[in-house]
Amino acid sequence: MIKAHKAAVKKEKVQELVFGIHPIVELLKAKRRKLYTIYTTKPTPKAWDLIAPLLSKETQIQYVSRDIITRMAGTTDHQSVIAWAGPFCYRRKFFETDKSPFLVMLDSVQDPRNLGAILRTAYCTGAGGVIICQKQGAPLNAAALKASAGLAEYLEIYEAPSAVAAVQELKKAGYTLYFTALNGEDATTVSYQPNLCVVIGNEATGVAKNLLSSGLTVKLPQRVADISYNASVAAGIILFMVAHQQGKI
């Protein structure tokens, strides 16, 4: 029993859970990390035909009940497919303006689904990279990957220890920072400078106040002042505007 427990702990450290059709399909297509074992039902779900041709001969396929898959995933949002894969491939070197002129940073975004949705938008709008923070940030787990529709697998994602450390690195590298907040310049009228980073803040409190002096604060127009957009929705709107102005899309 002790030996089995040690093996399970080791597996948790070197492999990560992924669930859902699109996250697994994109993981396999991106070819940045290995998929070891995949669990599905018998008969297989309809979308299994999207996954099966991408599997290598070494991939173990386990057929189990949907209840078992639900217990393993910790959610019913798995589409009858889960897998164990190698750790997500984070970027190790910080970004450079000449190679990655358009970045997105998340300051204390705590809902994995918001994180995933923002990553999906970052990919769709042509962002060259995303910065997430270990301190007070949502983990890039299976739920976040599912919300990104698997597109996180193609992104250059850098994990900073904190938002303060990330801002310091961005300024040092020569990026212009644009912070989204309820108070600031109208985001629709701003002329966004090249080599920029858009910072999306916490769902409840927005961007930390101690960061705002490091860049320009911009706001999205809305009907009344006492409401606000969802964090991932706000990210989608402003990233589209910036990308369109910069000629990324």
Side-chain angles (χ1 to χ4, degrees):
M1 288 294 290
I2 294 176
K3 189 178 291 186
H5 174 70
K6 287 183 178 179
V9 171
K10 185 177 181 181
K11 178 179 179 180
E12 287 180 4
K13 290 182 178 179
V14 300
Q15 297 184 28
E16 295 178 356
L17 184 70
V18 182
F19 58 71
I21 300 296
H22 289 298
I24 293 174
V25 166
E26 302 305 339
L27 185 154
L28 292 166
K29 286 183 176 180
K31 297 180 179 180
R32 293 167 103 182
R33 52 181 177 149
K34 184 176 180 180
L35 190 150
Y36 294 93
T37 310
I38 190 165
Y39 293 80
T40 189
T41 56
K42 214 167 194 178
T44 55
K46 291 181 180 179
W48 178 254
D49 291 342
L50 298 174
I51 293 175
L54 301 172
L55 296 175
S56 68
K57 294 180 180 179
E58 292 78 24
T59 304
Q60 297 181 39
I61 304 175
Q62 302 286 343
Y63 297 99
V64 295
S65 70
R66 182 176 171 85
D67 288 343
I68 290 176
I69 291 177
T70 297
R71 286 201 297 272
M72 293 178 70
T75 177
T76 57
D77 189 30
H78 48 64
Q79 299 176 297
S80 297
V81 185
I82 66 171
W84 286 99
F88 187 85
C89 300
Y90 289 99
R91 181 185 178 91
R92 294 184 179 181
K93 185 180 179 182
F94 199 74
F95 300 100
E96 300 173 12
T97 55
D98 58 336
K99 297 177 182 178
S100 306
F102 176 26
L103 300 179
V104 182
M105 173 183 154
L106 280 64
D107 173 26
S108 303
V109 171
Q110 296 181 341
D111 186 336
R113 292 165 296 182
N114 277 338
L115 168 59
I118 295 170
L119 294 177
R120 183 174 183 174
T121 297
Y123 176 87
C124 291
T125 54
V130 179
I131 301 167
I132 63 175
C133 303
Q134 294 176 350
K135 187 178 180 180
Q136 297 181 330
L140 185 51
N141 57 18
L145 294 173
K146 178 72 161 50
S148 80
L151 297 177
E153 298 291 342
Y154 300 97
L155 288 168
E156 291 290 321
I157 300 178
Y158 181 87
E159 190 175 37
S162 67
V164 171
V167 166
Q168 290 174 347
E169 288 287 347
L170 285 163
K171 297 296 288 183
K172 182 180 177 181
Y175 285 94
T176 300
L177 278 62
Y178 295 91
F179 299 101
T180 56
L182 292 176
N183 298 311
E185 293 191 30
D186 186 333
T188 64
T189 64
V190 172
S191 178
Y192 297 95
Q193 301 301 308
N195 305 327
L196 63 92
C197 178
V198 176
V199 182
I200 309 298
N202 174 270
E203 293 91 341
T205 58
V207 176
K209 292 182 179 179
N210 63 321
L211 302 179
L212 298 179
S213 62
S214 298
L216 180 67
T217 302
V218 297
K219 67 177 180 180
L220 294 174
Q222 53 193 41
R223 291 183 62 186
V224 293
D226 59 347
I227 60 171
S228 64
Y229 298 97
N230 168 273
S232 63
V233 172
I237 296 170
I238 193 163
L239 291 182
F240 174 83
M241 287 194 301
V242 172
H244 186 264
Q245 190 182 108
Q246 296 280 310
K248 300 293 182 183
I249 52 176

